Amino acid sequence: MTSRTLYLFGSAAPPVFQVAEVIETAQAGGWDVCLGLTPTAARWLEESLDDLGALTGHPVRSEYKLPGEPDVWPKADVILFAPATFNSLNSWALGLTSVFVVGVVAEGIGKGIPTVAMPCVNAAYAQHRQLDRSVTELREQGVTVLYGEGGFQPNPPGSGAPKGYPWDLALAAAKQLADQA
């Protein structure tokens, strides 16, 4: 099987602590995984970043490279942004790209890179009208957003169940997009 490259991006939400298991599952499915994190998610996983880099065989990135520096990752076949927080989704939909992973997915739309996003927001954030606007905007631009029926369902604030985050749906959607490309 020819290896395809998956950019796995994560925001600072509790399911990000499961990222090593997700990487291993993706690798077992034939993916070459490159891990990108928001700065806060990178801080949450700081003690395991070297191990995660060793697991993927690529440096974990949370910042833009300097102009003129070579790109250290292979080209993406698919991007999976999960967990994607309220802030990350809204920034992406609005084109606010000060965060590396948000900049890559925003540019990925224009480059035609198949992209899946799966939010991780609590029910209080889900009441904010901007979330639905952002999900609609991203979907209209061709992003597969796994939110609502058949995707992530918000929990009440403070009652999250990170072990119940539907990683299998996200990986299946990424595989489906790659197979269609």
Side-chain angles (χ1 to χ4, degrees):
M1 174 189 301
T2 303
S3 181
R4 296 183 286 191
T5 301
L6 173 70
Y7 284 8
L8 176 59
F9 290 169
S11 300
V16 80
F17 289 111
Q18 299 167 335
V19 75
E21 297 166 39
V22 175
I23 291 167
E24 290 170 342
T25 300
Q27 289 171 329
W31 291 103
D32 177 20
V33 181
C34 297
L35 179 62
L37 301 167
T38 63
T40 303
R43 186 168 49 91
W44 284 14
L45 297 174
E46 187 173 7
E47 292 181 9
S48 61
L49 292 179
D50 289 340
D51 291 339
L52 291 167
L55 179 61
T56 65
H58 304 285
V60 177
R61 295 186 59 193
S62 61
E63 296 180 4
Y64 286 104
K65 66 181 183 68
L66 295 174
E69 285 184 338
D71 203 342
V72 295
W73 287 355
K75 182 179 177 279
D77 291 296
V78 175
I79 302 172
L80 170 56
F81 198 158
T85 61
F86 180 77
N87 184 62
S88 293
L89 283 168
N90 291 328
S91 295
W92 180 10
L94 294 169
L96 305 175
T97 60
S98 60
V99 172
F100 165 70
V101 294
V102 174
V104 174
V105 291
E107 187 177 34
I109 290 171
K111 288 181 171 182
I113 301 170
T115 303
V116 176
M118 189 162 61
C120 185
V121 297
N122 68 40
Y125 279 125
Q127 296 304 309
H128 196 290
R129 293 185 303 185
Q130 187 58 47
L131 180 63
D132 286 335
R133 291 176 183 148
S134 293
V135 167
T136 298
E137 177 66 25
L138 293 171
R139 286 177 173 158
E140 287 176 356
Q141 291 195 55
V143 176
T144 299
V145 182
L146 303 175
Y147 178 69
E149 190 173 328
F152 177 79
Q153 300 278 346
N155 300 307
S159 68
K163 296 283 185 198
Y165 191 70
W167 283 110
D168 57 329
L169 294 176
L171 289 171
K175 181 185 181 313
Q176 182 178 12
L177 285 179
D179 290 347
Q180 293 171 351

